[in-house]
Amino acid sequence: MQLHTKKLIFIGPMGSGKSSLARRASAKYGGDVFDTDREFVRRYGPINDFFAAHGEAEFRKIEEKLLIEAAESSAAFVSTGGGAVKSKRGMYALRASGDVVYLTAPIDVLEARIMRSDRPLKNKLADVMKERAPLYEKYADYVIDTSVDSVAELEAAVKSKRKNRYDVVLCDSDDTLLDFQKARSHSIHRAAEILKLPMSGDDVDEAYKKVVCAVWKRLERGEITKEEMDVERVKMLGELLGLQLDVDEFNRAYIGEMEKTRFVREGAVEFLDSLRKRDLKVYIITNSFTRLAEKRLIPLRKHVDGEFVSEKIGYYKPDKRYFDEVLKAIGASDRSRVVIFGDGETSDIMGGANSGIDTCLYAPKGGGVTAADYIAHDYSAFLDIV
Ligand code: S3P
């Protein structure tokens, strides 16, 4: 019988029984154990000796790598070292891969357990706890007392549904909930038809994609205004295709077609409904323009708690002022309870970094280097994170 559908990650101070609970739970329920300290010792020798020779900072660097390895492993139980919570990267990788259990016991019980061991920090337990207790609490999906029967405590804990890690999801729309690539391609070809322009095929898509990416990046960096972008976009496209395009005429046709598009990504509506069923508040954050958002968000409107359109606010993602306005409007005073979900590295992810908000990159096609706290390759991975 399986104990839990997801990986269980044990955190807590020295002597809280992380390794021993992992072993006992695995013996009873099956599933592998990834013990980061044991793995450290296997590869680098005793931790005490390593601390003495290389210092704590070196140890933490390797520990972080092991935490990420544990997150990527297929182990059912992960036992971490007491200082694992000092690594944000390691802990975020782990919590994306499973549920985190904080093991505690009264300090005298912990001290008695570690007294005869040769841990480098064993005489500093009280100080260490003062520093780390808030971190243990922050990461804990479940808390169990290990001074009695920890397997029974664990069994009881994981029977209850874990609480949400966040209260608010700020969700990008284009290419996160709506299929923007499809809408763009559809609209550009329709505009060409309407204006009887000699352009068709994949070349147009490619050319326009290049243009749009370039001008959007400039808007995100605050180098041009929305109005300038509208002109720039058409000029660049004309140059690339060797055509004389009338800016106003082209924009009228293109925007007119774009606002009619309703291409919702498969599973997006169900995804929003699942988030809200879990009592999360969900708001759309979009750099789309007021006129387009008005119409294009229609299919999503019933499934979210609200929407924030950059043009109306006056600032664009990733500007911190955009996010300040959003948080003020929804009354979210605790930023640590807010998470941004979106596909845009330079808008959504950078916006989160600028504003002190956690981020999850939506990367259905894989995704490379990112500054995001999490990566989700599909909607269900994000549901596991929040
Ligand atoms: C440490 C705890 C130890 C081990 C290392 C550092 C700490 O793990 O990783 O000695 O910083 O609290 P245990 O929690 O298993 O003792």
Side-chain angles (χ1 to χ4, degrees):
M1 189 187 53
Q2 203 185 8
L3 174 60
H4 196 53
T5 51
K6 281 191 265 171
K7 185 181 277 160
L8 287 170
I9 299 123
F10 301 145
I11 61 168
M14 294 171 263
S16 59
K18 303 176 294 283
S19 300
S20 114
L21 180 57
R23 266 196 316 272
R24 288 164 58 211
S26 154
K28 182 162 177 188
Y29 291 100
D32 292 338
V33 173
F34 193 119
D35 184 321
T36 60
D37 274 347
R38 191 161 11 118
E39 218 26 58
F40 185 95
V41 173
R42 200 176 65 78
R43 295 181 201 182
Y44 303 93
I47 295 177
N48 237 346
D49 298 351
F50 190 93
F51 259 62
H54 307 282
E56 181 175 349
E58 257 334 282
F59 171 79
R60 296 293 169 210
K61 270 192 219 156
I62 299 172
E63 182 177 49
E64 180 165 87
K65 289 203 188 109
L66 287 169
L67 296 172
I68 293 167
E69 216 179 288
E72 287 164 358
S73 78
S74 58
F77 304 98
V78 175
S79 163
T80 63
V85 287
K86 292 176 79 161
S87 162
K88 183 178 174 196
R89 272 189 68 211
M91 285 310 300
Y92 273 57
L94 280 169
R95 77 201 303 221
S97 80
D99 288 349
V100 179
V101 187
Y102 170 23
L103 278 54
T104 66
I107 192 125
D108 51 316
V109 174
L110 298 175
E111 270 163 352
R113 284 182 187 157
I114 61 174
M115 215 165 49
R116 277 196 304 277
S117 71
D118 54 3
R119 290 166 165 95
L121 301 174
K122 70 172 181 180
N123 296 320
K124 298 191 186 146
L125 187 61
D127 290 343
V128 159
M129 270 313 271
K130 214 181 275 160
E131 179 201 345
R132 295 183 190 161
L135 290 171
Y136 292 135
E137 273 149 31
K138 166 186 156 136
Y139 289 119
D141 293 316
Y142 303 103
V143 182
I144 65 170
D145 185 333
T146 63
S147 51
V148 196
D149 180 350
S150 52
V151 175
E153 285 274 322
L154 180 66
E155 287 165 350
V158 297
K159 268 195 200 128
S160 61
K161 250 193 146 19
R162 79 157 166 79
K163 25 183 215 333
N164 291 335
R165 293 167 179 163
Y166 298 94
D167 300 324
V168 175
V169 178
L170 302 180
C171 192
D172 170 54
S173 61
D174 281 320
D175 283 339
T176 299
L177 299 169
L178 298 177
D179 192 337
F180 181 67
Q181 313 251 358
K182 191 167 163 187
R184 183 177 64 204
S185 172
H186 171 86
S187 309
I188 195 87
H189 287 288
R190 284 285 302 136
E193 263 174 59
I194 293 166
L195 302 175
K196 302 202 171 32
L197 297 172
M199 51 188 242
S200 63
D202 293 347
D203 290 355
V204 177
D205 280 327
E206 272 313 304
Y208 195 57
K209 188 172 160 190
K210 244 192 236 157
V211 169
V212 170
C213 288
V215 292
W216 267 107
K217 294 283 170 277
R218 296 187 62 198
L219 185 84
E220 286 166 3
R221 289 196 295 260
E223 292 167 8
I224 50 171
T225 63
K226 191 245 169 203
E227 287 70 26
E228 286 165 344
M229 183 176 104
D230 277 346
V231 176
E232 196 61 21
R233 200 171 43 172
V234 185
K235 272 199 195 154
M236 277 175 75
L237 181 68
E239 275 164 29
L240 265 178
L241 298 174
L243 293 173
Q244 273 292 337
L245 300 177
D246 181 294
V247 172
D248 289 337
E249 189 185 61
F250 184 87
N251 272 331
R252 218 172 306 123
Y254 175 72
I255 304 285
E257 287 306 309
M258 178 61 97
E259 75 177 3
K260 283 190 248 164
T261 61
R262 303 282 183 274
F263 300 130
V264 179
R265 291 182 65 91
E266 196 184 328
V269 162
E270 295 77 5
F271 166 62
L272 293 172
D273 290 345
S274 307
L275 288 169
R276 294 175 79 218
K277 235 183 258 154
R278 283 178 46 186
D279 288 332
L280 284 144
K281 293 269 183 221
V282 184
Y283 299 92
I284 290 177
I285 48 164
T286 178
N287 271 358
S288 176
F289 304 120
T290 312
R291 175 172 162 197
L292 287 177
E294 202 66 53
K295 298 274 172 55
R296 294 183 62 244
L297 294 180
I298 288 173
L300 304 175
R301 213 157 263 146
K302 282 204 309 270
H303 306 277
V304 295
D305 295 278
E307 65 200 45
F308 294 95
V309 179
S310 298
E311 198 186 2
K312 275 193 217 167
I313 294 189
Y315 304 111
Y316 292 81
K317 298 182 286 186
D319 196 323
K320 176 178 181 291
R321 291 170 294 183
Y322 170 83
F323 292 95
D324 289 345
E325 290 296 324
V326 170
L327 296 188
K328 196 164 77 189
I330 63 185
S333 51
D334 182 358
R335 288 181 189 223
S336 74
R337 301 292 300 172
V338 181
V339 62
I340 293 170
F341 181 60
D343 73 305
E345 185 70 26
T346 52
S347 50
D348 307 309
I349 307 309
M350 206 183 273
N354 290 344
S355 322
I357 303 171
D358 282 354
T359 53
C360 178
L361 181 74
Y362 175 51
K365 291 186 190 135
V369 182
T370 175
D373 297 304
Y374 312 100
I375 301 186
H377 297 299
D378 52 39
Y379 295 137
S380 93
F382 183 69
L383 290 168
D384 283 343
I385 287 167
V386 293

